[in-house]
Amino acid sequence: MASDDDKLSLAGSVSLGTGVMIGAGIFALVGQVSELAGTLMPLAFLAGAVIVGFSAYSYVKYSDANPSSGGIAMLLKAAYGPGIIAGTFSLFMYVSMVVAQSLLARTFGTYGLRPFGLEDSALLVPMLGVVVIVIAALVNLVGTQWVERSATVTAGLKILGIATLAIGGIIAAGPSSMFDFASNTSGSSDQGLLGFLAGTTLCILAYKGFTTITNQGGDIANPKKNVGRSIMISILLCAVLYLLLTVSVAGSLSVEEIVKARDYALAAAAEPLFGSWGVGLTIALAMVATFSGLLASIYSVSRLYDMLRDMGQAPGLPSRVHHQSLVITAGLAIVLAAFLDLSQIASMGAILYLAMDIAIHWGVIRHLRADINANIVVPAIAITLDAIVLGAFITIKARDDILTLGVSLGVAAAITISQAIVARHTSNAH
């Protein structure tokens, strides 16, 4: 646990959460969501915020009662005891967060190469993504205060820049675009309600950065008060920004145009509205957002891995290797960024995260509600909403992208089997 001087302030923890959310969410997912939800893409981002708002309740209640670094792993252990269930879903969370890092890295590479017309390069995009992961990992060696300071500065820049693009875009498209996007059916997705729900599943990835705050409970000043505040402020702030910006994009481009430029949709949307300077601003914002998001995520996820290793649920490296959790986390993110595209990365992250989220809420209902003074109605609603959107997403993936679904389920199965082996080994040792 950090000393008092090193602890994150309320502003610092909000910056940490929004830094991860804004980086992964808005720059990487607009095109992916449009492909599923069509003209209802802005409403899908709003629906994602509502679902995450219900989900946040369980995390806030537990963090209020038991603030600690690695909070999600501790929550699962408290709910299910040490063993296969807690270990499996803790690793689901860990892997989904590493997946988010690779999403950030690939998005950095895509936008960084946009000025050179190389944003679709199958070689250069992952190469640049790998380089930025390495740089972010090295920066994390500097320590907590540097990460907080950079997160605070870059979060302010991102919020100001995105708000400028969003408001400017709405003004350019006409104020009526705030209300007309949903009624514009030209180029609309033909996947209906199923597509909207599946798109909402991906939107949840744009908000799950709030768990970064939960994992830093022990490093936040006055955590019983500030963890919950940080989470709700971060979600509300991002929801407003996402809604404004997605409405602006929908007013600038048709669904077909957004999908065509799905990996760099915001830059494509800025061009007809603002010209070359708007494209340049969008690219600069994307690179700042994704790099700062990587800094914040690696900082948090490495500490989660430390917790899992201490609990005996994740392996370590030889003792001569320093900063083991950082090396392992960055290494896995590099592998994913090198070999999976943005759509595959986002899909895997969504499936693993929502499975873990359902396990969290069920654990609160079954085992923790009295200990943390939780109202079971809210986590029950969260489970229902998670199950609805995840079911829709898996249905569409089973129909259109069975390979990605198979890889995601294979990763989940491998994690579960590894935890069963660890549990058996531990039992035999005793």
Side-chain angles (χ1 to χ4, degrees):
M1 186 176 291
S3 68
D4 289 342
D5 291 339
D6 287 337
K7 286 190 174 181
L8 296 170
S9 63
L10 176 63
S13 57
V14 169
S15 297
L16 199 63
T18 55
V20 175
M21 281 192 266
I22 292 176
I26 203 65
F27 291 99
L29 295 175
V30 168
Q32 315 286 338
V33 175
S34 290
E35 194 168 15
L36 294 166
T39 53
L40 297 181
M41 176 264 295
L43 291 182
F45 274 91
L46 186 59
V50 172
I51 293 173
V52 171
F54 280 101
S55 289
Y57 177 83
S58 294
Y59 299 85
V60 170
K61 294 297 289 186
Y62 182 80
S63 295
D64 284 348
N66 304 281
S68 67
S69 296
I72 290 173
M74 296 301 293
L75 194 166
L76 286 164
K77 183 180 178 182
Y80 297 103
I84 296 175
I85 297 176
T88 295
F89 288 108
S90 293
L91 283 173
F92 276 19
M93 181 62 192
Y94 172 77
V95 173
S96 75
M97 294 175 80
V98 173
V99 165
Q101 291 169 14
S102 62
L103 185 71
L104 288 163
R106 294 276 307 212
T107 304
F108 182 96
T110 300
Y111 276 84
L113 293 168
R114 169 74 174 171
F116 311 103
L118 298 171
E119 64 272 12
D120 294 318
S121 172
L123 177 63
L124 294 179
V125 168
M127 283 181 61
L128 188 52
V130 168
V131 169
V132 77
I133 291 172
V134 172
I135 294 172
L138 292 174
V139 171
N140 261 268
L141 295 177
V142 176
T144 302
Q145 287 186 321
W146 202 98
V147 174
E148 177 187 0
R149 205 172 295 125
S150 65
T152 302
V153 172
T154 55
L157 289 173
K158 287 185 287 187
I159 290 169
L160 181 61
I162 288 175
T164 300
L165 284 175
I167 294 170
I170 289 171
I171 291 173
S176 62
S177 64
M178 289 287 290
F179 308 99
D180 290 348
F181 70 89
S183 62
N184 176 20
T185 56
S186 60
S188 180
S189 167
D190 60 0
Q191 303 194 67
L193 179 61
L194 194 67
F196 174 76
L197 293 173
T200 301
T201 306
L202 290 181
C203 292
I204 290 171
L205 289 180
Y207 297 97
K208 83 177 189 71
F210 82 83
T211 58
T212 304
I213 300 169
T214 306
N215 285 334
Q216 295 310 124
D219 292 331
I220 295 174
N222 195 7
K224 290 194 174 184
K225 181 182 292 184
N226 285 338
V227 168
R229 287 180 176 179
S230 300
I231 287 172
M232 298 317 297
I233 291 171
S234 297
I235 292 172
L236 287 171
L237 188 59
C238 287
V240 171
L241 286 173
Y242 291 166
L243 183 61
L244 289 174
L245 192 55
T246 52
V247 167
S248 173
V249 171
S252 172
L253 300 176
S254 67
V255 171
E256 289 95 334
E257 290 170 327
I258 297 172
V259 171
K260 183 179 179 181
R262 64 180 188 170
D263 290 349
Y264 47 92
L266 294 195
E271 191 162 11
L273 291 174
F274 303 111
S276 59
W277 76 267
V279 175
L281 174 60
T282 305
I283 290 170
L285 276 173
M287 297 181 73
V288 169
T290 50
F291 181 68
S292 62
L294 267 175
L295 286 180
S297 182
I298 288 175
Y299 172 80
S300 173
V301 178
S302 296
R303 281 150 182 76
L304 175 59
Y305 194 87
D306 280 334
M307 178 69 68
L308 295 175
R309 193 177 57 187
D310 291 343
M311 292 166 62
Q313 294 171 334
L317 298 173
S319 58
R320 64 178 179 274
V321 178
H322 300 293
H323 307 290
Q324 292 191 18
S325 60
L326 188 63
V327 170
I328 292 170
T329 298
L332 289 174
I334 285 170
V335 171
L336 290 170
F339 294 105
L340 298 179
D341 64 25
L342 283 178
S343 178
Q344 293 167 327
I345 291 168
S347 298
M348 183 185 298
I351 291 169
L352 293 177
Y353 173 76
L354 283 172
M356 182 280 308
D357 197 55
I358 290 171
I360 289 280
H361 304 310
W362 182 245
V364 167
I365 291 172
R366 287 284 296 162
H367 304 294
L368 296 179
R369 64 179 185 270
D371 295 338
I372 64 176
N373 193 29
N375 183 331
I376 65 170
V377 172
V378 181
I381 293 173
I383 288 175
T384 303
L385 295 175
D386 280 352
I388 289 171
V389 296
L390 181 59
F393 188 74
I394 289 175
T395 299
I396 282 187
K397 285 295 171 183
R399 185 188 69 195
D400 300 336
D401 189 8
I402 192 67
L403 175 62
T404 298
L405 179 60
V407 170
S408 301
L409 297 179
V411 169
I415 290 172
T416 305
I417 292 169
S418 72
Q419 287 302 299
I421 293 171
V422 168
R424 180 176 296 181
H425 177 75
T426 302
S427 176
N428 291 339
H430 292 297

